[in-house]
Amino acid sequence: MGEVERLRTRFARFLIAILWANVGLLLVATPAGGPAQSNLIVMGAALAILSTLAWRIDRIGWVTRQVASVALIGQVMLLVYAFAGHPYQADLHMYFFAMLAVLAGWLDWRIFLPATLAITAHHLALNAFNSMGVFPGGSDIKRAFLHGAIVTVQAAALSWIVWALRQAVESSERERSEALAARSIADEARRDVAETTARAAHERRRILHDLANEFERKIAGIARAVIASIASLRAASVQMRTGAEEVSQRSVAASKASRSSSSNVVAITAATAELASSFTEVDRQVNEAARLVGDTTRQALTVLDRVGDLSRKVDEIGNVTNVISTIARHTNLLALNASIEAARIGNMGGGFAVVAHEIKGLADETWRATEQIQSQIDAIGLSGADAIDAIDAMTATIDTLNQISIAVAAVVEKQNVATAGIAENVRRAADETVTAGGHIDIVSRVAEETGEAANHVADSADVLSRQSADLDTEVADFLGRIRAA
């Protein structure tokens, strides 16, 4: 039911009440002894009954509106006629205008046409056949037309007012219906946005947790491998430093032996047996040096392998860092897209825009963290390369020392075989002893350099250990932020 029908329904009850009130007015206010008093009351009641029946059957339909409106005007006619000759007869003509105004409650301008015609016909008919029933002074055709003109003007004004009012009511009703429909659509859209936002937030949290778990799994494995490699590198550096110290000590001993051999060469002419004994001692020292050189060579190769493993692990960390950087860029792009979508949907996307801004900030922090990690990895790579170069140099030097030791052993063997040419051999022994002393000094310097390289490798291992700890802290902080997002 529309607003017009609701107003007409309420007005119908009010109009029926007025019709029965007019019957009471005919019963009470008609002057005693007036013309056909009982007939007027019966006719007034008949009009009220007819209108009531029409209302009960047709409710607010066209028939009810017409019957009730004409019946109301007819009761006013009966009242004017009942007051014929009374001083109030002229005043009751204003009741026509009042009832016309009341009929505006139907919100139907067509009601005024039959009502106006009924009033005009009433005045003209009574003026012609019973002028005292309408005008106290008798017949007055001009007065009848004047009343008709006044009623027509009032009816026209009321018709326009009722038409405009009905248009306004219907327009208001349409606008309210449209507003209700728009509100329903807006509520549905808000519910859809809320559900979509909730699903998107849940999916985003799930993806971030999965990404964090996968990232943690990969980084944890690599970190364990790096830590193991660092431990191996540190142990290898300790072994290499120990070996270098041993070589240095043996070099000192060999240097002393060489100097002792030089002294013995001066006195070899007096004690050949003592010379042979010296050569035996030199041979033993050379064999011992060869053994130490072999041990040092193997240790250097082990350190080289460890440093190579460390370089490969550093490369794996670099690959993971690149993956993190790619994820950060993708996260940044997703945050930018989310900001654009939030700006597009307007005020309802304010909360989503805040979430998108937080995600972008987290992606930027991740990007900076990966850059720092990459720079540290580059530094580790350079340290590893330096360690490899130092180990290669040490290996080459040790190979030279090994060859020298072999040469010294051969010379000693020749000296033992050629004891008959002792004079020549003494000269050669002196020369070889001097040469051996020089080489022993070289071995000593190489041992010192090897120790320094071992210290450098140990320091690099310590730096790498601290950087690994920093990486673990950064990764833990990064994963915590992702899981808390």
Side-chain angles (χ1 to χ4, degrees):
M1 180 183 293
E3 188 64 26
V4 174
E5 285 73 16
R6 283 193 290 269
L7 290 173
R8 285 176 176 175
T9 300
R10 291 195 293 269
F11 175 72
R13 297 189 183 93
F14 175 71
L15 184 59
I16 295 300
I18 291 178
L19 287 168
W20 286 104
N22 286 336
V23 174
L25 186 61
L26 283 170
L27 181 62
V28 174
T30 301
Q37 179 182 10
S38 60
N39 293 333
L40 293 176
I41 294 173
V42 171
M43 286 187 290
L47 291 173
I49 291 171
L50 181 62
S51 299
T52 302
L53 290 175
W55 172 66
R56 295 291 294 180
I57 296 172
D58 193 37
R59 304 310 293 176
I60 59 173
W62 170 253
V63 175
T64 300
R65 296 198 298 271
Q66 293 296 332
V67 170
S69 299
V70 173
L72 183 63
I73 297 301
Q75 286 181 337
V76 177
M77 295 176 185
L78 294 175
L79 283 170
V80 173
Y81 184 76
F83 278 80
H86 193 278
Y88 290 168
Q89 184 182 17
D91 298 327
L92 284 175
H93 283 273
M94 292 187 297
Y95 202 32
F96 281 113
F97 306 129
M99 292 301 101
L100 278 176
V102 168
L103 292 178
W106 283 122
L107 292 179
D108 189 352
W109 64 271
R110 296 171 296 178
I111 292 297
F112 298 107
L113 181 59
T116 302
L117 293 176
I119 293 172
T120 303
H122 165 262
H123 281 65
L124 292 176
L126 289 182
N127 184 71
F129 300 105
N130 186 8
S131 59
M132 293 300 295
V134 63
F135 295 120
S139 177
D140 190 348
I141 189 65
K142 293 181 181 180
R143 196 173 184 183
F145 280 113
L146 177 60
H147 278 227
I150 293 173
V151 170
T152 301
V153 171
Q154 182 186 6
L158 289 173
S159 297
W160 180 81
I161 292 172
V162 167
W163 177 82
L165 180 61
R166 180 175 177 180
Q167 293 295 320
V169 170
E170 291 177 348
S171 176
S172 175
E173 185 175 6
R174 285 194 302 271
E175 291 175 356
R176 185 176 64 180
S177 299
E178 293 174 356
L180 290 175
R183 181 178 179 181
S184 177
I185 294 173
D187 292 338
E188 184 68 21
R190 281 194 294 271
R191 285 193 296 271
D192 291 341
V193 169
E195 292 175 358
T196 302
T197 302
R199 287 195 299 270
H202 177 72
E203 184 66 16
R204 180 179 63 84
R205 286 194 296 271
R206 185 187 65 78
I207 291 173
L208 287 177
H209 278 279
D210 292 343
L211 178 62
N213 293 333
E214 181 67 17
F215 179 74
E216 185 177 21
R217 183 181 63 79
K218 291 182 178 179
I219 290 299
I222 294 174
R224 285 193 294 269
V226 170
I227 291 172
S229 299
I230 291 171
S232 300
L233 179 62
R234 186 180 288 109
S237 66
V238 172
Q239 292 177 359
M240 186 168 60
R241 184 167 56 242
T242 303
E245 291 175 356
E246 274 191 45
V247 170
S248 179
Q249 292 173 359
R250 296 297 180 180
S251 298
V252 172
S255 178
K256 291 179 180 180
S258 177
R259 286 193 295 272
S260 177
S261 297
S262 298
S263 300
N264 291 330
V265 167
V266 175
I268 195 62
T269 56
T272 302
E274 189 176 346
L275 177 62
S277 177
S278 297
F279 277 121
T280 301
E281 180 64 19
V282 170
D283 183 67
R284 189 183 65 80
Q285 293 291 339
V286 169
N287 291 331
E288 183 66 17
R291 186 184 65 80
L292 293 177
V293 167
D295 293 340
T296 304
T297 301
R298 288 190 295 273
Q299 292 173 359
L301 293 176
T302 302
V303 172
L304 183 61
D305 292 338
R306 297 298 183 183
V307 172
D309 291 338
L310 177 61
S311 298
R312 287 191 295 273
K313 295 299 182 181
V314 168
D315 292 337
E316 291 179 0
I317 295 174
N319 293 332
V320 174
T321 304
N322 292 331
V323 173
I324 297 172
S325 177
T326 303
I327 293 172
R329 287 196 295 271
H330 290 174
T331 305
N332 202 346
L333 290 176
L334 289 175
L336 179 59
N337 292 333
S339 299
I340 294 172
E341 289 297 323
R344 184 176 64 82
I345 63 177
N347 294 331
M348 290 187 294
F352 198 43
V354 172
V355 173
H357 180 72
E358 291 296 328
I359 294 175
K360 184 177 185 299
L362 180 60
D364 292 337
E365 292 179 5
T366 304
W367 175 263
R368 290 192 295 271
T370 53
E371 287 184 343
Q372 294 176 0
I373 294 171
Q374 186 62 45
S375 64
Q376 293 175 356
I377 290 172
D378 294 337
I380 294 172
L382 293 176
S383 298
D386 293 338
I388 291 173
D389 294 337
I391 292 170
D392 291 337
M394 183 184 68
T395 302
T397 304
I398 290 172
D399 290 337
T400 302
L401 178 61
N402 193 18
Q403 294 175 2
I404 292 171
S405 298
I406 294 172
V408 171
V411 171
V412 171
E413 182 65 24
K414 289 179 181 180
Q415 292 300 322
N416 286 329
V417 174
T419 306
I422 188 64
E424 183 66 22
N425 289 339
V426 167
R427 184 182 63 79
R428 292 179 180 178
D431 294 338
E432 293 295 335
T433 301
V434 173
T435 302
H439 287 298
I440 289 172
D441 292 337
I442 293 174
V443 170
S444 179
R445 287 195 304 271
V446 170
E448 291 178 357
E449 292 175 356
T450 303
E452 292 177 357
N455 291 330
H456 183 70
V457 171
D459 294 338
S460 298
D462 293 336
V463 172
L464 182 58
S465 179
R466 290 193 298 271
Q467 291 175 346
S468 298
D470 293 339
L471 175 61
D472 185 66
T473 302
E474 292 290 338
V475 169
D477 184 62
F478 172 67
L479 293 176
R481 291 184 181 180
I482 288 181
R483 291 192 174 101

